[in-house]
Amino acid sequence: MSYLESTVKSTPSGFRKILYLNWPLTLLLISVASAGFLMLFSVAGGSWTPWAEPQMERFGLGLTVMFIVAMVPIWFWRNMSVLAYLGSIALLVFVELFGTVGMGAQRWIDLGFMRLQPSELMKVTLVMLLAAYYDWLPSQKTSRPIWVIIPVLLILIPTFMVLRQPDLGTSILLLAAGGGLMFLAGVHWAYFAAVIAAGVGLIATVFNSRGTEWQLLKDYQFRRIDTFLDPSTDPLGAGYHITQSKIALGSGGWNGRGFMQGTQSRLNFLPEKHTDFIFTTLAEEFGFVGGITLLVLYALILIFCMVTALSTKDRFSSLVTLGIALNFFLFFAVNMSMVMGLAPVVGVPLPMVSYGGSAMLVLMAAFGIVQSAHIHRPR
Amino acid sequence: MKRPTQKSEGRAYKRLPRRALVLGGLQAVFIGGLAARMRYMQVDQADEYRLLAEENRINIRLIPPTRGRIYDRNGQIIGQNSPSYRIVIVREDAGDIDKVIAKLSELIPLTQEEIDRAKTEMRRSAPFLPVTLADQVTWEDISKVAVNAPALPGVIPEVGSTRQYPRYEDFAHVVGYVGPVSDYDLSQIEDPEPVLRIPRFQIGKVGLEAKQEGSLRGKAGAKRVEVNATGRVMRELDRQEGIAGADLQLSVDADLQQYAQARLAGESAAAVVIDCETGDIRAISSAPSFDPNLFVRGISVADYRVLTNDKYRPLANKTVQGTYPPGSTFKMITALAALEAGVIAPSSTVYCPGHLKVGSRRFHCWKRGGHGTVDLETSLKRSCDVYYYDVALRVGIDKISDMARTFGLGVKHDIPMSAVAAGLAPNQEWKQRVHGQDWLVGDTANASIGQGFMLASPLQLAVMTARIATGRAVSPRLVRSVNGVEEPSGAGEPLAVNRNNLEQVRHAMWTVSNDRRGTAYRSRIIADDFRMAGKTGTSQVRNITKAERAAGVIRNEDLPWERRDHALFVSFAPYDKPKYAIAVVVEHGGGGSKAAAPVARDIMLQALYNGTPPLEAYPAADRERIKEQQIQLEGDPRPKARPDAKDRA
């Protein structure tokens, strides 16, 4: 091997790592976050406070975190997976016992400068652990029942803990991300068919539990599902969110009402307009063109992750990158479906755009792992 | 650290790219679905949703309740709501704010202060919320703005309602005034009603307006309105009317109040007239006064400074808030305490040589040479001090203090006015508790003539007089009825005081006003039906030193105003069948007989005759002067015809 060959092909080290970052992905993340700043500025009535400025500070912090995580070799993160997972479980137990109650659910740990939602952290550490598990597991054992039950348990433990908070949205996302990772790892399709069948059964059970003593969901969650199925039943009550969101979004038209001209969000018809419903404001002000642009940016992020995952020969790297991409996809897909009236209002923010510190920081750290996988891929 | 090993064997590993592509494909399909949905909503159905957005902006707005009105006992209006016009501006619609304001200020006069305040408010509030640019605008200015509306985008003339006090200074201290809710007010209320958050909603700040806020305010209604894209109300869908505030009727007679206020003008003084039969407060005047309407609009710094710098303290409500040593007007209480305790009989006498040695100190009578032998009647008639020193030392302070409380001194009367003072009727326990010192005999001597620690407000003195006149525990009543429902009368139960003793004191008070040697003889009432019984008082606000006593006490006229004596007079009339009791305090007025008694007599006659009394009711010597005074007071009508709106020219 010539000297030149070895420098190009071997894993970069030191500051040269920066050159090997997945720069297109980084730029995409910055563009999406910038769209977020713009919308937060707009929903505050043309003001950097109270949302846009703190969001920018947090994004700056997030970028730093991403770079730091990216600099650390990917095998370190793989070795850390078990510890990270156990740490997240511990934090979930902690919020269960001491967490701050917000909006009818125990979700946060107040760190002073920000509120940490352990369930956000869980989404990433679960993916890491499963990726490490399938990296470790000899391939011929992948579909053996005993080796399938272990990851299922690893998924179900945090899912039930999050469901107890209660946070239905996040628990469904955990389940979907975990299941997706098992699918990627090559578990036999028959298991998935069985789980889907069981899932249908579970939904039936949940609905049957309504009004009984062992009711599995809170009343407000049932009402949200009811109004999702038929928003016209309660247009001024619980269905208000969906109805107003659809009106605002639809009235945006082809190219929108213009920046800061969204009347529906401006007249306070929209609830949570800086968090869960920020996409509505974007679609109202920038119309179909603006909405599609954001969607394309999201899709590009997924594509770059996919390319990274398929270009590495390291199994952990592939799985963790695809898992994080899947998480990201689930995030924005559920949020957008929700504001467009395709899914019930479950309280999932729009990634990188909605106001909120802990979700963004965790996502940026996760993308740091993607970047690390990209930098340290075997060549 | 374990380096990655390159394992590429096994079926599951080979599956990864395939599975990744399957999952990626599913994601792509979902994203495509989202895009299609977005297209369907924003392109195909855009018109429908836009229509919904335009049409379906339902807003719930509060309807501020109408504040209850305030009337006097005869139905004359004291506090009312009058329409006020104001000009508001909506930032969102105005576009270039500075340009619009410049255009507007060509039409109507706007001060820089108003413009700056409006701009600050606009920066703080949402762009679609209206901000008041000019308040209390005249009808002409409103018309000008309305006519020029097309040239003034975002500028809206609005009709509101504001509090107005047509009696100006007369009721400032009684009724108080309202003002816009401030952040401080809100912070004081546990769970503020949403109506309080309406910008510039008026609530009572002082006086009756504040104390009866609960009855006067009413309950807010609500209406559902449809607003268009600019937040303007397009149509009202339905409304739920609020409940208007309750109307209050005062016991005060506005005409008598006006007379009293005019009669006190020029002095720093207070007068309270009480109906002996019902406890109704017929007049309760504190002079000088101020125009409460100034405060409703927001008083200017200059006007406010004039009020606060005045040494006659126009903002202080001297009738209930001001407490004064009652001086000789307290002697009835000392006398009654002694009579009830049995230490003296009405005919018992005390020799007055002009002073009495109490302990090591010498207590002086106001009359240098002394009054000689004095019985109860003479002691009150000529206001002998030594008689009371002597008697009080025999009774002891605790009994005097109890008697004072029986007659409403040192007790807080429950009337809905601001800062009602309790005054002070001290006893041994009080001094021990507050000052940590033993009560001294000298303190008793001081208290016996209403000096020292003793403090009473003019209202308390009027109540005391009414109680002496009737022998009942008359309590003052300011609000006669709320929304037409009469409040309980203040007639009270008979006092546990011997009838005969009271009769003796009343008779002595009669001689004060009707005996040639009485201290208030010059301010008597001649009309036989309305004979008055009273008591003068002169309370010292300074110590007279031994040296000064030796050289001759300095006359009040030679002292600076702040160091002159307070002049007091209490009386009731008619003597046979008491109808009204009055208390007058003239701050630093000099002697009670000279400064307070004539005022009290004039107000009393006005009350008894329910209007201007005939000259025959006055002593013959006074009639010329009274005639002039009547003409002067009538020729100086209170300002009744002031413009409603601020003179903006």
Side-chain angles (χ1 to χ4, degrees), chain A residues 106-166:
Chain A
Q106 277 187 329
R107 289 175 190 173
W108 315 320
I109 298 171
D110 206 329
L111 293 180
F113 67 98
M114 63 175 271
R115 288 160 171 169
L116 180 70
Q117 285 190 36
S119 56
E120 297 289 342
L121 204 58
M122 196 67 232
K123 286 182 201 161
V124 177
T125 50
L126 177 66
V127 165
M128 283 168 69
L129 181 72
L130 290 175
Y133 173 80
Y134 283 111
D135 183 40
W136 164 81
L137 191 71
S139 77
Q140 60 274 22
K141 293 182 182 168
T142 307
S143 292
R144 300 232 178 107
I146 181 77
W147 299 108
V148 170
I149 287 170
I150 290 170
V152 166
L153 284 177
L154 292 177
I155 296 167
L156 288 184
I157 291 166
T159 302
F160 274 111
M161 291 179 80
V162 172
L163 193 60
R164 265 184 60 85
Q165 281 182 351

Coordinates of all heavy atoms in Angstrom, one line a residue, chain A residues 106-166:
Chain A
Q106 N -46.2 13.1 33.5 CA -44.9 13.3 34.1 C -43.8 13.1 33.1 O -43.7 11.9 32.6 CB -44.7 12.3 35.2 CG -45.4 12.7 36.5 CD -45.0 11.7 37.6 OE1 -44.8 10.5 37.3 NE2 -45.0 12.2 38.8
R107 N -43.2 14.1 32.6 CA -42.3 13.9 31.5 C -40.9 14.5 31.7 O -39.9 14.0 31.1 CB -42.8 14.5 30.3 CG -44.0 13.7 29.8 CD -44.7 14.4 28.6 NE -45.9 13.7 28.3 CZ -46.8 14.1 27.4 NH1 -46.6 15.2 26.7 NH2 -47.9 13.5 27.2
W108 N -40.7 15.5 32.5 CA -39.5 16.2 32.5 C -38.6 16.0 33.8 O -39.2 15.8 34.8 CB -39.7 17.7 32.5 CG -40.7 18.2 31.5 CD1 -40.9 17.7 30.3 CD2 -41.7 19.2 31.8 NE1 -41.9 18.4 29.7 CE2 -42.4 19.4 30.6 CE3 -41.9 20.1 32.8 CZ2 -43.4 20.3 30.5 CZ3 -42.9 21.0 32.7 CH2 -43.6 21.1 31.5
I109 N -37.4 16.3 33.6 CA -36.5 16.6 34.7 C -36.0 18.0 34.5 O -35.5 18.3 33.4 CB -35.3 15.6 34.7 CG1 -35.7 14.2 34.9 CG2 -34.3 16.0 35.8 CD1 -34.6 13.2 34.7
D110 N -36.2 18.8 35.4 CA -35.8 20.2 35.3 C -34.4 20.4 35.6 O -33.9 20.2 36.7 CB -36.7 21.1 36.2 CG -36.8 22.5 35.6 OD1 -35.8 22.9 34.9 OD2 -37.8 23.2 35.8
L111 N -33.6 20.7 34.6 CA -32.1 20.9 34.8 C -31.8 22.3 35.1 O -30.6 22.7 35.1 CB -31.4 20.4 33.6 CG -31.5 18.9 33.3 CD1 -30.7 18.5 32.1 CD2 -31.0 18.1 34.5
G112 N -32.8 23.2 35.1 CA -32.5 24.6 35.3 C -32.4 25.3 34.0 O -33.3 26.1 33.7
F113 N -31.5 25.1 33.2 CA -31.4 25.8 31.9 C -32.3 25.1 30.8 O -32.6 25.7 29.9 CB -30.0 25.9 31.4 CG -29.3 24.5 31.0 CD1 -29.3 24.1 29.7 CD2 -28.8 23.7 32.0 CE1 -28.7 22.9 29.3 CE2 -28.3 22.5 31.6 CZ -28.2 22.1 30.3
M114 N -32.6 23.9 31.0 CA -33.6 23.2 30.1 C -34.3 22.1 30.8 O -33.9 21.6 31.9 CB -32.9 22.7 28.8 CG -31.8 21.6 29.2 SD -31.1 21.0 27.7 CE -32.3 19.6 27.3
R115 N -35.3 21.6 30.1 CA -36.1 20.5 30.7 C -35.7 19.2 29.9 O -35.8 19.2 28.7 CB -37.5 20.7 30.6 CG -38.0 21.7 31.5 CD -39.3 22.2 31.1 NE -39.9 23.1 32.0 CZ -41.0 23.9 31.8 NH1 -41.5 23.8 30.6 NH2 -41.5 24.6 32.7
L116 N -35.2 18.2 30.6 CA -34.8 17.0 29.9 C -36.0 16.0 29.9 O -36.6 15.7 30.9 CB -33.6 16.4 30.6 CG -33.1 15.1 30.0 CD1 -32.4 15.4 28.7 CD2 -32.1 14.4 30.9
Q117 N -36.3 15.5 28.7 CA -37.3 14.5 28.6 C -36.6 13.2 28.4 O -36.1 12.9 27.3 CB -38.3 14.8 27.5 CG -39.2 15.9 27.7 CD -40.3 15.9 26.7 OE1 -40.7 14.9 26.1 NE2 -40.7 17.1 26.3
P118 N -36.5 12.3 29.4 CA -35.8 11.0 29.2 C -36.4 10.2 28.0 O -35.7 9.4 27.4 CB -36.0 10.3 30.5 CG -36.3 11.4 31.5 CD -37.0 12.5 30.7
S119 N -37.7 10.4 27.8 CA -38.3 9.6 26.7 C -37.6 9.9 25.3 O -37.5 9.1 24.5 CB -39.8 9.8 26.7 OG -40.1 11.1 26.5
E120 N -37.2 11.2 25.2 CA -36.5 11.6 24.0 C -35.2 10.9 23.8 O -34.8 10.3 22.8 CB -36.3 13.1 24.0 CG -37.5 14.0 24.0 CD -38.2 14.0 22.7 OE1 -37.6 13.6 21.7 OE2 -39.4 14.3 22.6
L121 N -34.5 10.8 25.0 CA -33.2 10.2 25.0 C -33.3 8.7 24.7 O -32.5 8.1 24.0 CB -32.6 10.4 26.4 CG -31.1 10.3 26.6 CD1 -30.5 11.3 25.7 CD2 -30.8 10.5 28.0
M122 N -34.4 8.1 25.2 CA -34.7 6.7 25.1 C -34.8 6.3 23.6 O -34.3 5.2 23.2 CB -36.0 6.4 25.8 CG -36.2 4.9 26.1 SD -35.1 4.3 27.3 CE -34.4 2.9 26.4
K123 N -35.4 7.2 22.8 CA -35.5 6.8 21.4 C -34.2 6.5 20.7 O -34.1 5.6 19.9 CB -36.2 8.0 20.6 CG -37.6 8.2 20.9 CD -38.1 9.4 20.0 CE -39.4 9.9 20.6 NZ -39.6 11.3 20.1
V124 N -33.1 7.3 21.1 CA -31.8 7.1 20.5 C -31.1 5.9 21.1 O -30.5 5.1 20.4 CB -31.0 8.4 20.6 CG1 -29.6 8.2 20.0 CG2 -31.7 9.5 19.8
T125 N -31.1 5.9 22.4 CA -30.4 4.8 23.1 C -30.9 3.4 22.8 O -30.2 2.5 22.7 CB -30.3 5.0 24.6 OG1 -31.6 5.2 25.1 CG2 -29.4 6.2 24.9
L126 N -32.2 3.3 22.6 CA -32.8 2.1 22.2 C -32.3 1.6 20.9 O -31.9 0.4 20.7 CB -34.4 2.2 22.2 CG -35.1 1.0 21.7 CD1 -35.0 -0.2 22.7 CD2 -36.6 1.3 21.5
V127 N -32.3 2.5 19.9 CA -31.7 2.2 18.6 C -30.3 1.8 18.7 O -29.8 0.8 18.1 CB -31.9 3.4 17.7 CG1 -31.0 3.3 16.4 CG2 -33.3 3.6 17.3
M128 N -29.5 2.5 19.5 CA -28.1 2.1 19.7 C -27.9 0.7 20.2 O -27.1 -0.1 19.7 CB -27.4 3.1 20.6 CG -27.0 4.5 20.0 SD -26.6 5.7 21.2 CE -25.0 5.0 21.8
L129 N -28.7 0.4 21.3 CA -28.6 -0.9 21.9 C -29.0 -2.0 20.9 O -28.2 -3.0 20.8 CB -29.5 -0.9 23.2 CG -29.4 -2.3 23.9 CD1 -28.0 -2.4 24.6 CD2 -30.5 -2.5 24.9
L130 N -30.1 -1.8 20.2 CA -30.5 -2.8 19.3 C -29.4 -3.0 18.2 O -29.2 -4.2 17.8 CB -31.8 -2.5 18.7 CG -33.0 -2.6 19.7 CD1 -34.3 -2.1 19.0 CD2 -33.2 -4.0 20.2
A131 N -28.9 -1.9 17.7 CA -27.9 -2.0 16.7 C -26.6 -2.8 17.2 O -26.1 -3.7 16.5 CB -27.4 -0.6 16.2
A132 N -26.3 -2.5 18.4 CA -25.1 -3.2 19.0 C -25.4 -4.7 19.2 O -24.6 -5.5 19.0 CB -24.7 -2.5 20.4
Y133 N -26.7 -4.9 19.6 CA -27.1 -6.3 19.8 C -27.0 -7.1 18.5 O -26.4 -8.2 18.5 CB -28.6 -6.3 20.3 CG -29.2 -7.6 20.4 CD1 -29.0 -8.5 21.5 CD2 -30.1 -8.1 19.4 CE1 -29.6 -9.7 21.6 CE2 -30.7 -9.3 19.5 CZ -30.5 -10.1 20.6 OH -31.1 -11.3 20.7
Y134 N -27.5 -6.5 17.4 CA -27.4 -7.3 16.2 C -26.0 -7.3 15.6 O -25.7 -8.2 14.8 CB -28.5 -6.7 15.2 CG -29.8 -7.2 15.5 CD1 -30.8 -6.3 16.0 CD2 -30.2 -8.6 15.4 CE1 -32.1 -6.8 16.4 CE2 -31.4 -9.0 15.8 CZ -32.4 -8.1 16.2 OH -33.6 -8.6 16.6
D135 N -25.2 -6.4 16.0 CA -23.8 -6.4 15.6 C -23.1 -7.6 16.3 O -22.3 -8.3 15.7 CB -23.2 -5.1 16.0 CG -21.7 -5.0 15.5 OD1 -21.5 -5.5 14.4 OD2 -20.9 -4.5 16.3
W136 N -23.5 -7.8 17.5 CA -22.9 -8.8 18.3 C -23.4 -10.2 18.0 O -22.7 -11.2 18.0 CB -23.1 -8.5 19.8 CG -22.9 -9.6 20.8 CD1 -21.7 -10.0 21.3 CD2 -23.9 -10.5 21.3 NE1 -21.8 -11.1 22.1 CE2 -23.2 -11.4 22.2 CE3 -25.2 -10.6 21.2 CZ2 -23.8 -12.4 22.9 CZ3 -25.9 -11.6 21.9 CH2 -25.2 -12.4 22.7
L137 N -24.7 -10.3 17.7 CA -25.3 -11.6 17.5 C -24.9 -12.2 16.1 O -24.9 -11.6 15.1 CB -26.8 -11.3 17.4 CG -27.7 -12.6 17.5 CD1 -27.7 -13.2 18.9 CD2 -29.2 -12.2 17.1
P138 N -24.4 -13.5 16.2 CA -24.1 -14.2 15.0 C -25.3 -14.2 14.1 O -26.4 -14.5 14.6 CB -23.7 -15.5 15.4 CG -23.3 -15.4 16.9 CD -24.2 -14.3 17.4
S139 N -25.1 -14.0 12.8 CA -26.3 -13.8 11.9 C -27.2 -15.0 11.9 O -28.4 -14.8 11.7 CB -25.8 -13.5 10.5 OG -25.3 -14.6 9.9
Q140 N -26.7 -16.2 12.0 CA -27.6 -17.3 11.8 C -28.6 -17.4 13.0 O -29.6 -18.1 12.9 CB -26.8 -18.7 11.7 CG -25.9 -19.0 12.8 CD -24.5 -18.4 12.7 OE1 -24.4 -17.3 12.0 NE2 -23.5 -18.9 13.4
K141 N -28.3 -16.7 14.1 CA -29.2 -16.8 15.3 C -30.3 -15.7 15.2 O -31.2 -15.7 16.0 CB -28.4 -16.6 16.6 CG -27.5 -17.7 16.9 CD -26.8 -17.5 18.2 CE -25.8 -18.6 18.5 NZ -25.0 -18.2 19.7
T142 N -30.2 -14.8 14.3 CA -31.1 -13.7 14.2 C -32.6 -14.0 14.4 O -33.3 -13.3 15.1 CB -30.9 -12.9 12.9 OG1 -29.5 -12.6 12.8 CG2 -31.7 -11.6 12.9
S143 N -33.0 -15.0 13.7 CA -34.4 -15.3 13.7 C -34.9 -16.4 14.7 O -36.0 -16.8 14.7 CB -34.9 -15.6 12.3 OG -34.8 -14.5 11.5
R144 N -33.9 -16.8 15.5 CA -34.3 -17.9 16.5 C -35.2 -17.2 17.6 O -34.8 -16.1 18.1 CB -33.1 -18.5 17.1 CG -32.1 -19.1 16.1 CD -31.8 -20.5 16.5 NE -30.9 -21.1 15.4 CZ -29.6 -21.3 15.6 NH1 -29.0 -21.0 16.7 NH2 -28.9 -21.8 14.6
P145 N -36.2 -17.9 18.0 CA -37.2 -17.3 18.9 C -36.5 -16.7 20.2 O -36.8 -15.6 20.5 CB -38.1 -18.4 19.3 CG -38.0 -19.4 18.1 CD -36.7 -19.2 17.5
I146 N -35.6 -17.4 20.8 CA -35.0 -16.9 22.0 C -34.3 -15.6 21.7 O -34.3 -14.7 22.6 CB -34.0 -18.0 22.6 CG1 -33.4 -17.5 24.0 CG2 -32.9 -18.4 21.7 CD1 -34.4 -17.5 25.1
W147 N -33.6 -15.5 20.6 CA -32.9 -14.2 20.3 C -33.8 -13.2 19.7 O -33.3 -12.0 19.5 CB -31.7 -14.6 19.3 CG -30.7 -15.5 19.9 CD1 -30.6 -16.8 19.5 CD2 -29.9 -15.3 20.9 NE1 -29.6 -17.4 20.3 CE2 -29.2 -16.5 21.2 CE3 -29.6 -14.1 21.7 CZ2 -28.2 -16.6 22.2 CZ3 -28.6 -14.3 22.7 CH2 -27.9 -15.5 22.9
V148 N -35.0 -13.5 19.5 CA -36.0 -12.5 19.1 C -36.7 -11.9 20.3 O -36.9 -10.7 20.4 CB -37.0 -13.1 18.1 CG1 -38.2 -12.1 17.9 CG2 -36.4 -13.4 16.8
I149 N -36.9 -12.8 21.3 CA -37.6 -12.3 22.5 C -36.7 -11.3 23.2 O -37.3 -10.3 23.7 CB -37.9 -13.5 23.4 CG1 -39.0 -14.3 22.8 CG2 -38.3 -13.1 24.8 CD1 -39.3 -15.6 23.4
I150 N -35.4 -11.4 23.2 CA -34.6 -10.5 24.0 C -34.8 -9.1 23.5 O -35.1 -8.2 24.2 CB -33.1 -10.9 23.9 CG1 -32.9 -12.2 24.8 CG2 -32.2 -9.8 24.4 CD1 -31.6 -12.9 24.6
P151 N -34.6 -8.8 22.2 CA -34.8 -7.4 21.7 C -36.2 -6.9 21.9 O -36.5 -5.7 22.2 CB -34.5 -7.4 20.2 CG -34.5 -8.9 19.8 CD -34.1 -9.6 21.0
V152 N -37.2 -7.8 21.8 CA -38.6 -7.4 22.0 C -38.8 -6.9 23.4 O -39.4 -5.8 23.7 CB -39.6 -8.6 21.7 CG1 -40.9 -8.3 22.3 CG2 -39.6 -8.9 20.3
L153 N -38.1 -7.6 24.4 CA -38.2 -7.1 25.8 C -37.5 -5.8 25.9 O -38.0 -4.9 26.6 CB -37.6 -8.1 26.7 CG -38.4 -9.4 27.0 CD1 -37.7 -10.4 27.9 CD2 -39.8 -9.0 27.6
L154 N -36.4 -5.7 25.3 CA -35.6 -4.4 25.4 C -36.5 -3.2 24.8 O -36.3 -2.1 25.3 CB -34.3 -4.5 24.6 CG -33.3 -5.5 25.1 CD1 -32.1 -5.5 24.2 CD2 -32.8 -5.0 26.5
I155 N -37.3 -3.5 23.9 CA -38.2 -2.5 23.3 C -39.4 -2.2 24.3 O -39.7 -1.1 24.5 CB -38.7 -2.9 21.9 CG1 -37.5 -3.0 20.9 CG2 -39.7 -1.8 21.4 CD1 -37.9 -3.6 19.6
L156 N -40.0 -3.3 24.7 CA -41.2 -3.1 25.5 C -41.0 -2.5 26.9 O -41.9 -1.7 27.3 CB -41.9 -4.5 25.7 CG -42.5 -5.1 24.4 CD1 -43.2 -6.4 24.7 CD2 -43.5 -4.1 23.8
I157 N -39.9 -2.7 27.5 CA -39.7 -2.1 28.9 C -39.8 -0.6 28.8 O -40.7 0.0 29.5 CB -38.3 -2.6 29.5 CG1 -38.4 -4.1 29.8 CG2 -38.0 -1.8 30.7 CD1 -37.0 -4.7 30.1
P158 N -39.0 0.1 28.0 CA -39.1 1.5 27.9 C -40.5 2.0 27.4 O -41.0 3.0 27.8 CB -38.0 2.0 27.0 CG -37.6 0.8 26.3 CD -37.9 -0.4 27.1
T159 N -41.1 1.2 26.4 CA -42.3 1.6 25.9 C -43.4 1.7 26.9 O -44.2 2.7 27.0 CB -42.8 0.6 24.8 OG1 -41.7 0.5 23.8 CG2 -44.1 1.0 24.1
F160 N -43.4 0.7 27.8 CA -44.5 0.7 28.8 C -44.2 1.8 29.9 O -45.2 2.4 30.4 CB -44.6 -0.7 29.5 CG -45.5 -1.6 28.8 CD1 -45.0 -2.7 28.1 CD2 -46.9 -1.3 28.7 CE1 -45.9 -3.5 27.4 CE2 -47.7 -2.1 28.0 CZ -47.2 -3.2 27.3
M161 N -42.9 2.0 30.1 CA -42.6 3.1 31.1 C -43.1 4.5 30.5 O -43.6 5.3 31.3 CB -41.1 3.2 31.4 CG -40.7 1.9 32.2 SD -38.9 2.0 32.5 CE -38.9 3.1 33.9
V162 N -42.9 4.7 29.2 CA -43.3 6.0 28.6 C -44.8 6.0 28.6 O -45.4 7.1 28.8 CB -42.7 6.1 27.2 CG1 -43.3 7.3 26.5 CG2 -41.2 6.3 27.4
L163 N -45.5 4.9 28.3 CA -46.9 4.9 28.2 C -47.5 5.2 29.6 O -48.6 5.8 29.7 CB -47.4 3.5 27.8 CG -48.8 3.3 27.4 CD1 -49.1 4.2 26.2 CD2 -49.1 1.8 27.0
R164 N -46.8 4.9 30.7 CA -47.3 5.1 32.0 C -47.3 6.6 32.4 O -47.9 7.1 33.3 CB -46.5 4.4 33.0 CG -47.1 3.0 33.4 CD -46.3 2.4 34.5 NE -46.2 3.3 35.7 CZ -47.2 3.3 36.6 NH1 -48.2 2.5 36.5 NH2 -47.1 4.1 37.7
Q165 N -46.5 7.4 31.6 CA -46.3 8.8 32.0 C -47.5 9.7 32.1 O -47.6 10.5 33.0 CB -45.2 9.4 31.1 CG -43.8 9.0 31.4 CD -42.8 9.7 30.6 OE1 -43.1 10.3 29.6 NE2 -41.5 9.5 31.0
P166 N -48.4 9.7 31.2 CA -48.6 8.9 30.0 C -48.3 9.7 28.8 O -48.7 10.8 28.6 CB -50.1 8.6 30.0 CG -50.7 9.8 30.7 CD -49.6 10.5 31.4

